[in-house]
Amino acid sequence: MRIKRDSRYIGIAALFVVTSLCLNAFTGILVSKILHAGEGPAKTQIEVKNISAKQAKELIEEGNEVFILDVRTREEYNEFHMKGANLIPIQELEQNISKIPKDKKVIVHCAKGKRSATACEILKNKGLKELYNVEGGINQWKSEGYPVEKPE
């Protein structure tokens, strides 16, 4: 069997191959854009920093803009709390995210550190960036002799 080597057929075949390759590349780009639509620029991973009571005290004393968030219950807060602490019980945290400034360091504490760790994850998922979880909570703070306030 002899293959005709007509230049028309070679030109058509070459055009077909180039067109197929271009369509394949275009389809790949289109599919990639569809799969990644809405992702926007790559987000930097936000980490919650676990800090000691001493480190929390130092952050507060630095005078930098900090927001102290107490996620304990109102009853626990009324027993004693850190000076300047803002009470938002963990059960009410998601409904009150707007009360927490996004442009400040947020120091989160509870009694022992478990609820505050959970609260930090909630806040991280809501877009807050500088989050500090006080390990050992206010109990550790108090046991190290740092000042607490009691309602009068």
Side-chain angles (χ1 to χ4, degrees), residues 91-123:
Q91 304 88 322
E92 301 169 17
L93 189 58
E94 291 201 49
Q95 304 91 294
N96 291 289
I97 294 287
S98 63
K99 294 181 180 177
I100 303 167
K102 290 188 176 190
D103 60 341
K104 292 184 178 184
K105 295 176 182 176
V106 181
I107 299 173
V108 186
H109 77 84
C110 60
K112 297 179 185 173
K114 205 166 204 166
R115 287 176 285 179
S116 58
T118 302
C120 283
E121 286 303 310
I122 292 168
L123 297 173

Side-chain angles (χ1 to χ4, degrees), residues 68-72 82 85 107-111 116 133-134 137-138:
I68 305 167
L69 176 60
D70 189 329
V71 295
R72 298 176 301 152
M82 287 184 194
I107 299 173
V108 186
H109 77 84
C110 60
S116 58
N133 176 45
V134 181
I138 197 163

Side-chain angles (χ1 to χ4, degrees), residues 3 5 14-15 47 59-60 64 67 108 122 129 131 136-137 144 147:
I3 300 175
R5 293 193 179 186
L15 183 62
E47 287 188 37
L59 267 176
I60 293 165
N64 291 338
F67 183 85
V108 186
I122 292 168
K129 297 188 179 5
L131 298 166
E144 292 187 24

Side-chain angles (χ1 to χ4, degrees), residues 20-122:
S20 295
L21 289 173
C22 288
L23 283 173
N24 192 13
F26 177 74
T27 304
I29 291 168
L30 186 62
V31 167
S32 176
K33 287 190 182 241
I34 290 170
L35 288 175
H36 299 287
E39 287 183 3
K43 294 180 182 178
T44 55
Q45 183 64 25
I46 299 168
E47 287 188 37
V48 173
K49 295 172 187 82
N50 290 311
I51 59 173
S52 66
K54 179 181 180 187
Q55 291 169 311
K57 186 173 187 308
E58 289 168 356
L59 267 176
I60 293 165
E61 288 177 344
E62 281 177 8
N64 291 338
E65 291 292 311
V66 296
F67 183 85
I68 305 167
L69 176 60
D70 189 329
V71 295
R72 298 176 301 152
T73 64
R74 180 158 304 284
E75 293 77 26
E76 289 173 300
Y77 181 86
N78 287 338
E79 287 178 34
F80 59 89
H81 54 269
M82 287 184 194
K83 180 179 181 181
N86 299 276
L87 175 67
I88 303 176
I90 193 163
Q91 304 88 322
E92 301 169 17
L93 189 58
E94 291 201 49
Q95 304 91 294
N96 291 289
I97 294 287
S98 63
K99 294 181 180 177
I100 303 167
K102 290 188 176 190
D103 60 341
K104 292 184 178 184
K105 295 176 182 176
V106 181
I107 299 173
V108 186
H109 77 84
C110 60
K112 297 179 185 173
K114 205 166 204 166
R115 287 176 285 179
S116 58
T118 302
C120 283
E121 286 303 310
I122 292 168

